[in-house]
Amino acid sequence: MHSRDCVKVAVRVRPFNKRERDAGSHCVISMAASSITIHDPRHSQCRRSFCFDYAYWSHSGFIQDQTGLYLPEEVGGRYADQDCVFQDLGEGILENALQGYNATLLAYGQTGSGKSYSMVGYRPNKGLVPKLCERLFETIKGKQDARQCQVFFSMLEIYNEQVVDLLSRGSRPPGGLRVREEQHRGFYVEGLRTVPCDSAAQVEQLMEQGTRTRTTAATHMNANSSRSHMLIVLQLKQILSKESISKQSNINLVDLAGSERQRSSGPEADRLKEGTAINLSLTTLGNVISALADMAVGKKAVHVPYRDSVLTKLLQSALGGNSRTVMIATLSPADICYEESLSTLRYAERAKHIQNRPVVNESPTERLVKELKAENARLLQRLSRLGQEGRSANDETKEIRQLLAHNELQIRAIHTLWEQHLQEALKDWEQQYAHITQERRMMQMHPYILNINEDAQLSGVVKLFIQEGEWDIGLCDDMRTSITIKGLGIQQRHAVMRNEQRQVTLTPLMGSKVTVNGRAVCETTKLKHLDRLILGSNCTYLYIGFPSERGDDDWSNYDYDYFLSELAAAEGIHLGETSAECCETDPSLLAVFYDYIKLMPLVAEANQMSQELNKGVEFKLEIKNLVLSDSKGHDLEKDIVCRVISKPSKQVWMWSKAKFVNRKFLMEEIYQQHLTELNGENREAGLSTATLPRDKDPFWDPVEPLLLGTAHLWLQSLAFRIPLDEQLEVLGSEGSEEGIVHAKLLPCTSTGMPLGEDDILIDPSELLGRRLDVQLVLEQCFGLRWIREDRSRGVQIGFRLFDSSVLLYTSAVWHNVIPVLHHRVHFASLQVSEHLLDYLQSSAVLLELWGLQEGCTSLVSPLEGATVTTEGIFIIDGNGTADDIPADSAALNTSLKVLQKDLEELKSVNKSLMKENQSLRGQLNVARNGTNSARSRSLRPSCDAEFARSLKVFYHNMTSVRAQLQSLCRHRPSDSCDLLGLRLFVDEQSGLLKDFSEHLETTVSALKHDVAAIVRRKRERWGSWS
């Protein structure tokens, strides 16, 4: 029975990055010992705490020395540097490997949370992998007398469920390397190159080689490195001469793909498969961890889906198998990353419950040598016995001697295999070293461009030198004067670079996309040191000038985020320049803007793939609900959506962020298949991109109604039973004017007859307990941009009033920019409650403008949940009377009885107060003259009536003023207006403003005059009566 060993989990919190500092982010993570608490930035009282084996605070409390090494500010400070992490995690992994156990280190977290920094490190701050290799070879060197050690290194990447050998010297096989399974070995990668190493420097060189291959492959395949998994495998074989045994262990160092949590406004189901092969490995890993956690707490018959993805197959021994495993989860402490950090903590919380069964591994090779030696000893004894007996068994003796020779050859081959492999690896290492030396010499002589990648570990790997003369940049590789760049949107001849008279210029060629410092260029541009270049859709490079121009500049400041920030600034998003304002901004809003920036390159790639595949589809990012609010005027939750437009058919779709990202992965699969077909390679079984049916096409969807915008029809006038006639501007999600809606609110009788001026109320509380009827009339729409763009389209308007659960829709109107609706709905409250009255005074009817397209069905009002009378009147505020309360609920009956009891008590109190009031009124009448008292009683009604009439006149005048204001808002110059036209427009606008000002001043003055007259008459009457 093997002993059980739980997965050890460590959590590390990194410092703010530049983007988070510019946004004025707040830290939402606190740490005490091995406990971590995360605070919800939107609800200060909401917090979650987690406990792990190790917790590292690397957010603050550090300094940087002259060499760039990060150290704690104080000796014994809380800051955890790279050495601290290695002592806890790396030393344990190395010790387990030396004892003969398999050991695994998993790094998990969102992109940019510090996984690669913890695993690989940066410059002098070496991470776990290089430190572990250094310590391993130091240990081997110190124990050479007691044991012979052999170390083999391999490096692979998993992307889109395909395994890529990052050390392979040959061409990449279609579909990647195959994952096989053997009874004794378990899952393994067939054909994976393993390189023998005898020093840490050699391992470091192999890692650089693998990183270069990974960078090049990611660019050529249009692959996002943050969505791929990297595995480094160190095979350690120890031959202990004294014990005559050998131990063999695998050290798996795994940098998992970014764990970004997909925000979505709702549980949107995509008609195409969710979680493509690109996402499958990480999703399956989560399912495996959950299943193993369930097994650890005693659940029976739990299926662990190891076989569902390539990654989980290769990690089977690390998760629940023969390995001692450590997971390090990295976190961003910024409030804008709260959702992702909380998701990472929950993931790590499940992983710590996994139980493994590690055992010491004995090498099958050493066992074979033992068996061969034992067999040789038996054969020698037999030969000796034959010689002693004096037999002349020449044939048998000859056969035994042949077996002995064969066994000796096998033993010698096993022992010499290591030396041969090591010699071959040393030759490769010498060639790589010569290449590096040549590259460093070129860097000191010529300007060059180096790649910038989302993964900082892949940045600066590819260097393209610009020697003197003219150089063609693009896919062309058949000329001596060409610099080959492969990637999405790169043409055969994309641009020309000239190095003349110690100046480098860049000239884009016809139809090519070239961006310099965030701005698209189409003319010859002189390059300066540290200029940022984007070629095609996603090839990002930093220009390094002549050695005399460089100085002490640190190009590492120009990371991938810097490139994206420049692109965002070109579109008007300047988050880094408003840090003072950002401190007051909702973190969720900042997170949406950062999502927007991160999705910009994905949208550019999707547009490029659409262009190359002749799909005629354009993608554009939008911020949903950027300027919209709910019926109370409160801001709606913001999110990223992608507007998808089919240019040939003018069809429009609106995809959520999650749906777009999923479709983008599917587009990549189609695009890769398209490239395979163009290259004439044998494609995998499946449909050709040329014959792809529409229902399988990720660029297409069935059309659906789209929410174009909303308008607010405020209800305050209904509290006074005053009719309302408005022309409302419909605003789109980002503030665009989508059209005008003419709407009315008409207080009426139960039969639908409009109320007169005498029915207007002075005090809204007079409505309490009374019936209220109102008609909502939607007359017409004006200037609908949706239909102006395509006359084949239609519109509908949706709305709901108060607590109605039903969203009502007007009839669909097609092919008209100024559609007539004439839609009238009668609402009634049988007994107005305080709740309804508050709603009328503070809320609005939200009118939703929906766009219809050819092929989509119009929206229908589901009336199942509505209360409608036989006359077609919709009942609102149904809880206003006791008769309307359902009697089938015991809880509601109890509440009703309590309310009735309170009502009786209130009636009793009211009765006693009325008696007291009558007594006081009698005393007042005795004290005053009877005539004066009679006149005073008639004073208030008379004054109130006069005041009510004045308010009615003022209200009608203000309605006219509001109409003038709306006319001013809609009065705009035409796009083709010249200078003379603009002057005429300004003059006309000035006249309208003057009329508006005079009308407003007259209205207010009239009200002041009426009120003053009423007050004056009131004082005169009091003076004559007193």
Side-chain angles (χ1 to χ4, degrees):
M1 185 75 181
H2 302 309
S3 61
R4 297 190 177 187
D5 185 78
C6 287
V7 172
K8 288 182 170 51
V9 178
V11 175
R12 190 177 191 186
V13 182
R14 66 157 171 78
F16 286 144
N17 58 28
K18 181 180 183 299
R19 191 169 60 184
E20 292 162 349
R21 287 195 303 271
D22 290 343
S25 297
H26 299 284
C27 180
V28 295
I29 292 178
S30 57
M31 186 181 296
S34 59
S35 176
I36 286 183
T37 301
I38 184 168
H39 309 261
D40 189 337
R42 294 162 297 186
H43 307 95
S44 58
Q45 301 302 319
C46 182
R47 61 187 64 188
R48 289 285 307 276
S49 295
F50 302 85
C51 191
F52 299 102
D53 298 287
Y54 303 98
Y56 300 111
W57 182 261
S58 301
H59 174 62
S60 59
F62 61 90
I63 57 173
Q64 188 176 16
D65 67 9
Q66 295 178 349
T67 64
L69 188 66
Y70 293 110
L71 300 169
E73 280 183 335
E74 302 175 355
V75 178
R78 66 184 306 206
Y79 175 74
D81 58 9
Q82 298 285 61
D83 284 338
C84 176
V85 176
F86 177 75
Q87 288 172 6
D88 289 340
L89 306 183
E91 292 282 7
I93 290 171
L94 180 60
E95 183 62 30
N96 288 327
L98 292 172
Q99 291 176 10
Y101 293 102
N102 292 332
T104 302
L105 174 63
L106 301 170
Y108 180 85
Q110 71 177 106
T111 302
S113 62
K115 295 192 309 294
S116 297
Y117 179 79
S118 295
M119 290 289 285
V120 182
Y122 183 71
R123 294 189 176 178
N125 301 282
K126 293 184 178 180
L128 286 165
V129 176
K131 283 181 175 291
L132 190 146
C133 293
E134 289 176 358
R135 191 65 58 85
L136 172 63
F137 285 103
E138 287 175 5
T139 305
I140 290 173
K141 187 175 181 181
K143 298 182 178 180
Q144 285 180 337
D145 297 337
R147 68 185 75 186
Q148 178 189 352
C149 293
Q150 301 173 359
V151 178
F152 290 87
F153 179 91
S154 56
M155 189 174 181
L156 62 92
E157 180 184 42
I158 301 174
Y159 180 81
N160 197 16
E161 283 301 280
Q162 296 183 6
V163 179
V164 179
D165 186 353
L166 298 178
L167 301 181
S168 175
R169 290 172 291 189
S171 60
R172 177 176 171 269
L177 300 179
R178 294 182 177 273
V179 177
R180 302 288 191 183
E181 183 181 16
E182 282 187 1
Q183 183 176 359
H184 298 294
R185 293 179 62 182
F187 290 104
Y188 68 97
V189 179
E190 184 181 44
L192 181 66
R193 185 183 179 210
T194 58
V195 181
C197 302
D198 63 352
S199 68
Q202 194 174 355
V203 171
E204 183 178 352
Q205 179 56 43
L206 289 170
M207 287 180 61
E208 288 184 12
Q209 178 186 341
T211 302
R212 181 184 295 272
T213 304
R214 189 184 183 197
T215 306
T216 307
T219 305
H220 291 185
M221 292 178 60
N222 185 36
N224 189 335
S225 63
S226 66
R227 304 303 302 164
S228 66
H229 315 279
M230 184 186 70
L231 280 75
I232 293 176
V233 182
L234 291 169
Q235 297 178 5
L236 172 63
K237 180 179 179 182
Q238 305 172 81
I239 302 174
L240 305 177
S241 54
K242 292 184 179 180
E243 294 84 354
S244 298
I245 60 171
S246 70
K247 296 178 181 179
Q248 184 165 318
S249 55
N250 289 341
I251 304 174
N252 301 303
L253 307 170
V254 187
D255 190 353
L256 295 171
S259 61
E260 280 69 34
R261 183 177 173 273
Q262 300 298 335
R263 287 192 197 86
S264 180
S265 56
E268 177 184 8
D270 193 349
R271 64 179 182 85
L272 297 179
K273 60 179 179 177
E274 290 281 359
T276 61
I278 295 175
N279 289 320
L280 182 61
S281 288
L282 208 58
T283 303
T284 306
L285 179 61
N287 295 337
V288 167
I289 288 176
S290 296
L292 291 171
D294 290 341
M295 290 177 60
V297 297
K299 286 191 178 180
K300 304 296 183 183
V302 177
H303 170 65
V304 184
Y306 289 115
R307 297 177 179 273
D308 288 358
S309 76
V310 170
L311 177 68
T312 48
K313 286 178 182 178
L314 297 178
L315 293 183
Q316 183 173 6
S317 64
L319 300 171
N322 176 23
S323 178
R324 286 185 169 170
T325 302
V326 175
M327 172 186 282
I328 179 168
T330 54
L331 304 174
S332 164
D335 46 11
I336 60 176
C337 298
Y338 168 76
E339 297 288 349
E340 286 80 2
S341 297
L342 178 59
S343 177
T344 300
L345 287 169
R346 287 172 174 164
Y347 202 94
E349 174 78 11
R350 293 198 303 271
K352 72 179 186 180
H353 297 294
I354 298 175
Q355 294 181 344
N356 291 345
R357 295 171 176 81
V359 295
V360 176
N361 302 290
E362 186 178 61
S363 169
T365 304
E366 189 65 18
R367 190 183 306 118
L368 176 61
V369 172
K370 288 182 183 179
E371 292 172 355
L372 289 172
K373 288 182 176 180
E375 185 178 357
N376 279 1
R378 289 194 301 271
L379 291 173
L380 287 171
Q381 289 179 356
R382 189 171 179 183
L383 276 175
S384 176
R385 196 164 48 250
L386 287 173
Q388 289 175 358
E389 294 175 357
R391 300 180 186 177
S392 60
N394 292 331
D395 292 340
E396 186 176 3
T397 304
K398 185 177 180 181
E399 182 180 354
I400 291 174
R401 292 188 182 278
Q402 286 178 347
L403 284 173
L404 279 170
H406 178 71
N407 289 348
E408 287 292 341
L409 284 174
Q410 281 190 286
I411 294 171
R412 193 176 300 118
I414 290 172
H415 283 300
T416 58
L417 189 62
W418 160 253
E419 284 78 5
Q420 290 176 356
H421 284 171
L422 187 59
Q423 289 300 320
E424 293 175 3
L426 287 174
K427 289 181 181 178
D428 288 345
W429 186 81
E430 290 173 358
Q431 293 176 359
Q432 290 289 332
Y433 183 77
H435 174 76
I436 292 172
T437 303
Q438 175 66 16
E439 184 179 82
R440 289 175 179 171
R441 189 181 301 115
M442 295 281 285
M443 289 170 61
Q444 300 302 318
M445 297 171 58
H446 305 288
Y448 59 93
I449 56 176
L450 54 84
N451 75 299
I452 302 296
N453 195 281
E454 182 178 6
D455 186 345
Q457 301 300 323
L458 303 185
S459 293
V461 174
V462 177
K463 300 177 182 67
L464 303 175
F465 295 95
I466 309 166
Q467 301 182 50
E468 193 167 341
E470 182 176 300
W471 298 84
D472 289 335
I473 296 179
L475 299 174
C476 52
D477 57 359
D478 54 351
M479 296 184 295
R480 292 184 178 180
T481 58
S482 63
I483 298 176
T484 303
I485 293 179
K486 295 183 179 180
L488 192 60
I490 300 296
Q491 298 185 3
Q492 194 70 20
R493 293 184 69 243
H494 196 85
V496 174
M497 275 191 169
R498 293 182 179 87
N499 181 353
E500 297 173 346
Q501 298 179 357
R502 298 191 66 79
Q503 288 187 358
V504 175
T505 59
L506 175 64
T507 305
L509 298 181
M510 182 68 68
S512 63
K513 295 180 182 178
V514 176
T515 302
V516 179
N517 300 336
R519 304 285 180 180
V521 297
C522 55
E523 299 177 347
T524 300
T525 303
K526 179 183 175 182
L527 296 183
K528 300 178 182 177
H529 180 52
L530 298 180
D531 274 350
R532 282 76 61 200
L533 314 178
I534 301 179
L535 307 178
S537 297
N538 62 355
C539 297
T540 49
Y541 292 91
L542 186 68
Y543 171 71
I544 305 298
F546 290 91
S548 58
E549 299 175 329
R550 296 174 194 172
D552 297 329
D553 296 324
D554 185 5
W555 66 262
S556 62
N557 294 327
Y558 299 94
D559 57 4
Y560 191 73
D561 283 344
Y562 194 98
F563 279 67
L564 294 186
S565 298
E566 281 191 327
L567 291 175
E571 293 196 10
I573 301 176
H574 302 271
L575 292 183
E577 298 177 5
T578 57
S579 58
E581 298 176 6
C582 289
C583 293
E584 308 297 329
T585 305
D586 182 2
S588 62
L589 179 59
L590 286 176
V592 168
F593 276 106
Y594 285 134
D595 278 345
Y596 185 98
I597 293 174
K598 289 168 65 177
L599 285 174
M600 285 172 58
L602 300 187
V603 169
E605 293 167 9
N607 282 321
Q608 184 64 39
M609 287 188 283
S610 171
Q611 180 180 335
E612 294 189 25
L613 295 171
N614 297 318
K615 294 295 183 179
V617 176
E618 181 182 7
F619 300 89
K620 181 184 177 184
L621 288 179
E622 293 184 3
I623 300 179
K624 181 181 177 182
N625 301 329
L626 180 61
V627 300
L628 299 187
S629 55
D630 61 12
S631 62
K632 295 274 187 189
H634 301 149
D635 288 344
L636 293 171
E637 183 179 356
K638 277 69 174 170
D639 205 351
I640 298 297
V641 293
C642 182
R643 180 181 289 269
V644 186
I645 305 170
S646 174
K647 294 180 180 178
S649 65
K650 294 188 178 179
Q651 291 178 329
V652 181
W653 301 273
M654 200 66 75
W655 291 351
S656 68
K657 172 190 170 184
K659 184 172 184 177
F660 169 71
V661 172
N662 182 58
R663 290 296 182 89
K664 166 68 166 50
F665 292 148
L666 292 171
M667 293 172 200
E668 289 180 18
E669 294 179 0
I670 300 297
Y671 183 73
Q672 292 302 326
Q673 185 178 344
H674 168 71
L675 294 182
T676 302
E677 293 171 6
L678 288 180
N679 295 333
E681 300 175 10
N682 294 327
R683 63 177 183 269
E684 299 177 10
L687 294 169
S688 167
T689 55
T691 60
L692 190 68
R694 194 164 64 170
D695 61 339
K696 302 290 185 183
D697 189 352
F699 291 89
W700 180 86
D701 251 354
V703 289
E704 297 177 346
L706 298 180
L707 179 61
L708 304 178
T710 60
H712 288 73
L713 183 61
W714 293 98
L715 302 172
Q716 191 173 14
S717 65
L718 284 186
F720 299 89
R721 290 206 301 212
I722 297 175
L724 186 64
D725 188 338
E726 292 274 18
Q727 290 188 357
L728 306 169
E729 186 178 29
V730 180
L731 294 179
S733 190
E734 293 189 327
S736 58
E737 183 181 331
E738 298 295 332
I740 303 293
V741 176
H742 183 195
K744 297 179 181 179
L745 280 174
L746 304 176
C748 61
T749 65
S750 60
T751 59
M753 297 299 294
L755 299 179
E757 289 189 0
D758 293 337
D759 297 303
I760 294 177
L761 302 176
I762 301 301
D763 186 357
S765 62
E766 296 179 41
L767 275 178
L768 290 173
R770 299 169 62 180
R771 174 170 176 143
L772 174 65
D773 289 84
V774 62
Q775 289 185 346
L776 172 61
V777 183
L778 300 174
E779 292 284 6
Q780 195 173 8
C781 295
F782 304 95
L784 294 178
R785 190 175 73 166
W786 172 252
I787 298 181
R788 193 166 59 239
E789 292 173 351
D790 185 0
R791 291 278 181 164
S792 67
R793 296 170 176 171
V795 292
Q796 283 182 273
I797 294 180
F799 56 91
R800 65 162 55 93
L801 189 64
F802 190 49
D803 58 356
S804 174
S805 60
V806 177
L807 187 63
L808 303 177
Y809 296 98
T810 64
S811 300
V813 184
W814 296 81
H815 319 305
N816 197 339
V817 179
I818 311 176
V820 177
L821 303 174
H822 286 326
H823 187 80
R824 184 181 297 262
V825 183
H826 189 154
F827 295 96
S829 172
L830 303 180
Q831 189 173 341
V832 175
S833 64
E834 287 277 5
H835 187 197
L836 176 58
L837 191 59
D838 290 341
Y839 171 78
L840 294 178
Q841 293 178 304
S842 62
S843 302
V845 175
L846 206 61
L847 303 178
E848 299 178 351
L849 180 63
W850 289 85
L852 306 177
Q853 309 175 68
E854 277 189 313
C856 77
T857 57
S858 57
L859 298 164
V860 180
S861 305
L863 300 180
E864 291 79 7
T867 304
V868 187
T869 66
T870 55
E871 294 83 8
I873 300 174
F874 287 83
I875 305 300
I876 60 173
D877 196 18
N879 294 331
T881 63
D883 295 335
D884 297 324
I885 299 178
D888 57 347
S889 172
L892 288 177
N893 281 331
T894 303
S895 299
L896 178 59
K897 290 177 181 178
V898 173
L899 289 173
Q900 288 175 338
K901 184 178 179 181
D902 292 342
L903 181 61
E904 293 299 327
E905 292 178 358
L906 289 172
K907 284 181 178 179
S908 176
V909 172
N910 187 42
K911 190 174 181 181
S912 63
L913 289 173
M914 288 177 66
K915 288 181 180 180
E916 185 178 355
N917 192 29
Q918 288 176 356
S919 175
L920 292 172
R921 186 178 292 143
Q923 295 176 15
L924 181 62
N925 289 338
V926 171
R928 290 184 177 180
N929 184 278
T931 304
N932 291 344
S933 299
R935 288 178 180 174
S936 68
R937 282 195 298 273
S938 66
L939 171 66
R940 180 175 180 82
S942 174
C943 292
D944 286 348
E946 292 177 6
F947 190 63
R949 281 192 293 271
S950 299
L951 284 178
K952 290 176 186 177
V953 174
F954 176 73
Y955 171 75
H956 288 299
N957 289 337
M958 285 305 296
T959 302
S960 176
V961 170
R962 184 184 292 114
Q964 279 187 290
L965 180 60
Q966 290 174 346
S967 177
L968 275 170
C969 292
R970 293 194 300 273
H971 188 240
R972 297 172 183 172
S974 63
D975 296 335
S976 59
C977 198
D978 56 8
L979 182 59
L980 179 60
L982 285 174
R983 287 177 179 172
L984 293 174
F985 169 78
V986 171
D987 293 339
E988 187 178 354
Q989 188 82 344
S990 299
L992 290 173
L993 283 171
K994 183 179 179 182
D995 294 342
F996 171 76
S997 176
E998 290 176 353
H999 196 169
L1000 180 60
E1001 186 176 353
T1002 302
T1003 302
V1004 175
S1005 297
L1007 178 63
K1008 288 180 179 178
H1009 179 269
D1010 291 343
V1011 171
I1014 293 170
V1015 172
R1016 185 172 59 252
R1017 286 195 294 272
K1018 183 176 179 181
R1019 287 175 178 172
E1020 289 173 354
R1021 290 171 185 173
W1022 273 105
S1024 62
W1025 295 336
S1026 59

